Structure formats: C-alpha cells, structure tokens
Amino acid sequence: MNFFACENLSAGYGRKEVLKNITLSFEKGRIASVIGPNGSGKSTLLKCMGRLLKPSAGCVYLDGRSISSMTDSAIARSVGILPQSPSAPGDIPVHCLVAYGRNPHKKALSSFTKEDRETVEWAMHATGLQDKRFLRLGQLSGGERQRAWIAMALAQRPQILLLDEPTTYLDIHHQFEVLELLEKLNTSCGLTVVMVMHDLNLASKFSGRLIAMKDGQVLLDGCAEEVLTEENIFDIFRVKSRIVDMDGSRAAMYMGVA
Amino acid sequence: MREITDSDAKRRLMTGAAGLMLLAAGFVVSVITGTVDISVGDMARIFTGVQTDGMYHVLMNIRLPRIITGAFVGVNLALSGAILQAVLKNPLADPGIVGVTAGAGLFAMAVMILLPSFTHLVPPAAFIGAFVTSLVIYFLAYDGGAHPLRLILAGVALAAFLGAFMSSLTVLYSDRVQGTVNWMAGSLSGKSWIHVKMILPYTLLGLFGAGIGARYLNILMLGDDVARGLGLSVERVKFMLTMLAALLAASAVSVAGLLGFVGLIVPHITRLIIGSDNRFLIPFSAVFGGIIVIFADTAARVVFAPYELPVGVVMAFVGAPFFLYLLSRSSRS
C-alpha cells in the first residue's frame, strides 16, 4: 500500500529550480535509497518530503492527505526526518536528546507522562544506547551519536523515517552499525525508511529500492539489480565500473572517469 | 553511569542555594551600605514597623525601590540575553544585537536633547524606540525565515545607522549632552516605586514566557531543520521569543538607561556553571542577573562616595574584561 507519496513536486532555492516535477510513491515497511551525483536534488527531495522546504509546485501526501494541510506537530507524529550531520550542544545527555523526540506529542504545558518515559526507554533500547543514556553527546563516538539522533526520531513514533546521508563522516564500522540498526528497525517494527545515500554499494546492500536522480529528475527507479548496471552508473555519475554479484548482493567496482 | 545525572542535579541544587543566598546577601549589603549608615538592626526594626524616623524614609523610599528596580532590570536583561543566545544560536548575542540599545538610545536622547522639559517621557520613548527598532531589524532580516546571521548583520547595520543620528545630535547640541551622560551609561540613581511598578509587569511576563519557552529553546538549539522535524513551528516560536526578549530588554533600558553587558555575561556565566539546558539556564540566569546588578549598583554608590558612578560603568569595568576572556576562550576552542 502506498501511504507516502509526492506528486509533481518542484522546488528550488530562490530562482534556481532544483527539483523538476517529481512523482514518487513509497510503500509501507520498505527501505528506499535515493542516489545521484552532487546537486542532483536528492537532499532537496528529502527536505520537501519532510516539509523542511516548501515546494514551489506539487504536493506531498501522507495516507492520502496533503501534508500542507496538516499542522507541524501532526506531521511530526508520522514523519521523522534527520538532516545531514545534525548538531547539538555537546553537554546534552543522551536521554534528554531522545526525550526531545516526544515534543510533537506534547502541548505547551503538559508534563512528561508514563507513556513518554516508556517510549524514550524503548527508543534507547532499540538503538542499543540503554547503557549510554547518561553520557553526554560530546562523549559519544560518531556512530553512537548518529544512533542517538535516530533514537530521538524514533521517540516521535513515526511511520516513516527520512534520513539525509546518515553515514556521512562515519568509518566503515560505524556505517554498518547505523545501517544494520535501520535494517533491524525495518524488520522488527515495520519502519519505512527513505534515505539519501552516497555509497552505492551500501545503498544496494541495505535497500530494496534505489531511486537514481540526476538534474532534479528521477532517472531510474527499481531494485539494485535494475539500477546498478555498468551503463547506468556511467549515465548517472560518468564513472566507468564493473559490477560484481556476490552472496546475493550487488556491488560496483569503480574504474575511473577517463 | 548514574552519578553523572546525580552530580548534575547536585550542582543545580548547590548553585540554586548559593544563588538565593547571594541574592539575600546582596539585598542586605545593598540596604545597609550608603551615605546614611543603616545597621542590620535598624533594617529589621524598619521592616517590622517599629522604627519610623528619617532612616525609615531613606530605606523605604530611596534604597529599597532602587534595589528592587535594579534587581528587576538585571532579571529582565539576563532573561533577554539568555533567550537571544538560544534563538540566535550565538553565545555572544545580547539585547544590543536586536537593536534595543540603539533604538532606546536614539529615542531617549532625542527626548532629552530636543524636549528637555519633557524628561518624564524618556522611559516610554526609550521603550518604544527599543521595541520598534527590534521589530524593524526582525523584518529586515526576514527572508522566508529569520536566519541568525541575517538578524545579526541587520542589527549591526541598523545600530550603525541610528548611531549616526545620535552622533549628529551630540555634535549639534553639544551644550545639552551633559544631561544624557548618566542615562547613556545606565544608571539606577533616583529610582522610585514608580519605576518598580513600570518594570514589574514585564519581569512577571518574562519569567512566565521564558519559563514556558525554555522547552522550545532547547529544541531550537538542535537547529531549525531538526526542530521543524520535531513538529515545532520554528518561525512562529522564534518570532515570539525574540519579541519577548526585545520587550524585556526594552523595559529594562527604559527605566535604567543603556545598561550593557548584563544580557551578555550573565547567561554566559550561568551556562559555564550549570550547562546549556534552558530549563535551568533561564531561571538561574534570572537570579544571577538580579544579583549582579544589585552588587554592581552597590559598588557604584559607594566606591567613589560621595560621587556616584552609573551602574553601567561598573558593569563595563567587570563585563568588558570578561567579554575579552570569552573571546579568547572561544577562539582557542
């Protein structure tokens, strides 16, 4: 069932149009990755879907309702979004950051309920941070910090999580840690994930669907076997490559631009 | 693991207790120091209504309103600075950045110089000047959202522009400048119960508004995108909190003149002690703001007695070196 969709979406910054008439729909409980070269509109698409950016034309639909007709907190109860490398004061304890995720469920003066506490507890367990709850953000490793941000978004109890390059600046171990966490959340809680990825091989390993963008348009949309081919990679990135299929996942070896 | 939060709570408790004790001490010290000697015993007798001589007049009608006005001015400026530092995500932000100083300064100076027989209009003029200027800066900086850097740049530009008018006034009416000096430096001299009544509503509004706003300030500090992702109506919240900060600072300068540095250093010192969580930073800043102005004003009254310094001068003596220390610290890290 398609519960999240964008229709004829165009957007840009100032007069520069970055997204051109994009129509996409997302099924519940799947992981999709948006790939493409720098400036192709991946992050802009994600921002529009998470209503961080107002589209110049078109609509984003959640369960058949246009999100422009919904309040900020109503959207936030269904859609979680994490921008690329978010920052926060280094002295916030992990459990406080995660508790901020309850904001869309709270009114101005309402107190922290038992349900809020249980949700925060669950989010910290789901991300394996239960032993780090009293550590401050500045004391965590890069991977742990990213997990803390994901825990905050989980505490919103969203149906869909939008992530802009969740593995930037992380070493390969921490990249896998974050992506395996998302995979686990996807299988155990049915969380729908749409993420912008730079690493094609990680994107192919962890997502059932790849959406390749170029010049503000969707060039290709399908599973890894359909999208990751030598011709396609050359079309999208102008890079020569060889495709390797191993243990059921597809990877590309890059050979150079010349 | 557990100790970390416990030590946090402990530090907050200790700081809170120390703050309240300092506030009480500052109050007593300020009441008993001055040209007329009042002992602690006199103070107790006056407050209990036993003693009603000339000393009663000095205490109840001169010192007490001045101390209370000073405390409220400190509370308002500190709250204003704490809010702005969080909204603008800039630890060096203070009420001057949103044009409060320049606007209040120009309007008050214009009244004092051009309409010298209407000095009772100085507080409302300063208030209007401060608030209108901060509104103008906010709308000049607004472009699909109030970006902190644009706000700061617009503030600097408008302050320079209004500063040119002030300079022109001082040159063209150099004979009348003398009367503005005390006000421009920030002074609590001669404050009465009228001033307490003028500022009290804003202090109450500020404590209430900032108390509710603290939670939103915490979320704003995560960045606009994350805050919006958490369901915060970012632009509306920013606007309301900035205007609250402008109101607080405007009410403070309208009674005490251009008192600098409180809004900058008080939230900063407080943050160094108890951390960046606004739920604690806001109330603690308010207490420390009151304390610092009470002590600074007491020093202003007695250091060069029988001459009195404007309290702003004392604040600058303490505030400016501290500001430089902050700059050197932030450039190193």
Side-chain angles (χ1 to χ4, degrees):
Chain A
M1 184 202 143
N2 294 327
F3 78 111
F4 193 69
C6 40
E7 247 179 57
N8 306 107
L9 209 59
S10 295
Y13 305 96
R15 227 165 291 165
K16 193 169 164 261
E17 195 170 55
V18 182
L19 277 192
K20 295 162 192 160
N21 204 21
I22 299 230
T23 299
L24 284 170
S25 58
F26 296 90
E27 288 169 57
K28 219 168 212 162
R30 301 278 299 271
I31 298 182
S33 285
V34 183
I35 58 169
N38 293 335
S40 58
K42 309 181 293 290
S43 294
T44 311
L45 173 66
L46 204 77
K47 279 185 185 170
C48 282
M49 295 199 302
R51 60 81 182 71
L52 301 186
L53 187 72
K54 211 173 137 58
S56 53
C59 254
V60 178
Y61 294 97
L62 179 70
D63 278 327
R65 268 182 79 190
S66 165
I67 62 168
S68 58
S69 70
M70 297 166 68
T71 64
D72 284 325
S73 49
I75 302 168
R77 286 192 288 270
S78 294
V79 183
I81 180 164
L82 286 181
Q84 199 182 332
S85 36
S87 72
D91 67 345
I92 300 183
V94 171
H95 68 101
C96 281
L97 183 74
V98 179
Y100 292 154
R102 296 307 293 163
N103 184 62
H105 299 268
K106 315 254 71 173
K107 292 208 171 64
L109 288 170
S110 57
S111 58
F112 218 64
T113 62
K114 186 157 171 279
E115 189 198 344
D116 292 325
R117 245 188 308 278
E118 282 167 2
T119 312
V120 168
E121 200 61 32
W122 165 80
M124 284 191 295
H125 270 92
T127 49
L129 289 169
Q130 65 274 26
D131 295 333
K132 314 255 180 202
R133 68 179 68 200
F134 295 126
L135 290 185
R136 295 166 195 288
L137 228 45
Q139 295 171 308
L140 300 181
S141 71
E144 288 166 343
R145 203 170 307 146
Q146 186 62 282
R147 270 154 51 197
W149 285 105
I150 292 173
M152 182 198 76
L154 285 181
Q156 288 173 245
R157 279 297 196 173
Q159 298 170 276
I160 182 163
L161 191 55
L162 308 172
L163 301 151
D164 195 352
E165 296 190 32
T167 57
T168 350
Y169 305 128
L170 298 182
D171 63 37
I172 191 74
H173 176 88
H174 289 121
Q175 292 187 15
F176 268 92
E177 206 178 80
V178 167
L179 292 170
E180 282 172 7
L181 166 66
L182 292 173
E183 194 174 47
K184 191 189 89 189
L185 291 168
N186 173 256
T187 42
S188 65
C189 329
L191 183 72
T192 311
V193 177
V194 179
M195 56 188 176
V196 168
M197 290 287 286
H198 258 309
D199 189 314
L200 301 185
N201 296 337
L202 284 177
S204 118
K205 182 169 171 51
F206 285 98
S207 30
R209 178 183 180 192
L210 294 183
I211 298 161
M213 292 188 65
K214 194 172 190 183
D215 300 326
Q217 286 171 318
V218 174
L219 204 62
L220 298 156
D221 185 351
C223 65
E225 283 70 26
E226 292 163 337
V227 175
L228 283 196
T229 65
E230 287 163 17
E231 304 86 75
N232 286 345
I233 290 174
F234 188 77
D235 282 347
I236 305 166
F237 293 99
R238 301 278 147 204
V239 168
K240 289 179 189 155
S241 61
R242 295 271 183 284
I243 293 300
V244 189
D245 280 306
M246 208 188 285
D247 299 337
S249 72
R250 169 163 287 208
M253 292 265 294
Y254 310 114
M255 312 305 286
V257 286
Chain B
M1 290 298 161
R2 188 80 218 179
E3 305 87 74
I4 292 172
T5 41
D6 280 351
S7 78
D8 267 8
K10 204 168 158 193
R11 192 168 58 230
R12 282 179 206 128
L13 200 69
M14 299 291 280
T15 316
L20 293 176
M21 260 148 58
L22 270 174
L23 191 62
F27 179 78
V28 173
V29 168
S30 195
V31 163
I32 62 174
T33 8
T35 32
V36 178
D37 259 331
I38 299 179
S39 69
V40 180
D42 291 330
M43 186 180 111
R45 275 192 295 280
I46 290 168
F47 280 146
T48 48
V50 178
Q51 195 173 334
T52 51
D53 53 0
M55 234 177 237
Y56 176 90
H57 173 71
V58 170
L59 200 161
M60 294 306 275
N61 295 327
I62 297 176
R63 275 193 204 158
L64 203 54
R66 176 173 182 158
I67 294 166
I68 294 174
T69 307
F72 286 168
V73 164
V75 168
N76 288 13
L77 288 174
L79 281 176
S80 176
I83 294 171
L84 288 172
Q85 287 176 9
V87 170
L88 300 177
K89 292 178 211 63
N90 189 332
L92 297 181
D94 80 336
I97 275 188
V98 287
V100 166
T101 316
L106 177 61
F107 276 54
M109 192 180 226
V111 170
M112 286 185 280
I113 286 181
L114 302 175
L115 309 163
S117 51
F118 293 95
T119 45
H120 62 279
L121 290 181
V122 167
F127 184 89
I128 291 167
F131 195 66
V132 168
T133 308
S134 50
L135 267 179
V136 169
I137 286 175
Y138 202 91
F139 286 106
L140 283 178
Y142 199 89
D143 178 28
H147 192 268
L149 187 62
R150 286 178 62 92
L151 260 176
I152 290 167
L153 291 177
V156 169
L158 205 64
F161 183 66
L162 298 182
F165 282 97
M166 289 206 267
S167 303
S168 312
L169 280 174
T170 50
V171 171
L172 296 175
Y173 296 91
S174 50
D175 52 322
R176 296 184 193 173
V177 168
Q178 189 58 36
T180 69
V181 170
N182 241 351
W183 193 89
M184 297 304 275
S187 170
L188 289 165
S189 176
K191 296 303 157 200
S192 64
W193 288 110
I194 297 170
H195 299 98
V196 174
K197 276 186 206 145
M198 271 166 58
I199 195 169
L200 177 65
Y202 296 100
T203 304
L204 294 178
L205 176 75
L207 287 170
F208 181 70
I212 294 178
R215 218 185 86 208
Y216 299 117
L217 288 173
N218 276 346
I219 289 171
L220 276 181
M221 299 222 309
L222 306 177
D224 288 2
D225 281 353
V226 173
R228 205 165 288 137
L230 288 173
L232 198 68
S233 308
V234 171
E235 291 311 325
R236 202 172 68 201
V237 169
K238 265 194 201 173
F239 177 73
M240 285 171 57
L241 286 167
T242 308
M243 288 304 117
L244 178 65
L247 266 181
L248 281 167
S251 67
V253 297
S254 72
V255 300
L258 302 184
L259 186 52
F261 284 114
V262 181
L264 174 70
I265 62 169
V266 170
H268 230 294
I269 299 170
T270 315
R271 194 175 296 112
L272 289 177
I273 301 172
I274 61 145
S276 63
D277 189 333
N278 286 288
R279 288 172 304 167
F280 305 102
L281 184 60
I282 292 281
F284 280 84
S285 293
V287 173
F288 287 134
I291 293 172
I292 281 189
V293 173
I294 288 180
F295 275 108
D297 188 48
T298 312
R301 284 193 285 131
V302 299
V303 170
F304 289 106
Y307 298 105
E308 214 178 79
L309 284 174
V311 61
V313 171
V314 178
M315 286 304 311
F317 270 132
V318 184
F322 186 76
F323 186 78
L324 291 173
Y325 158 75
L326 289 180
L327 278 180
S328 71
R329 245 175 68 105
S330 63
S331 62
R332 244 179 287 139
S333 66

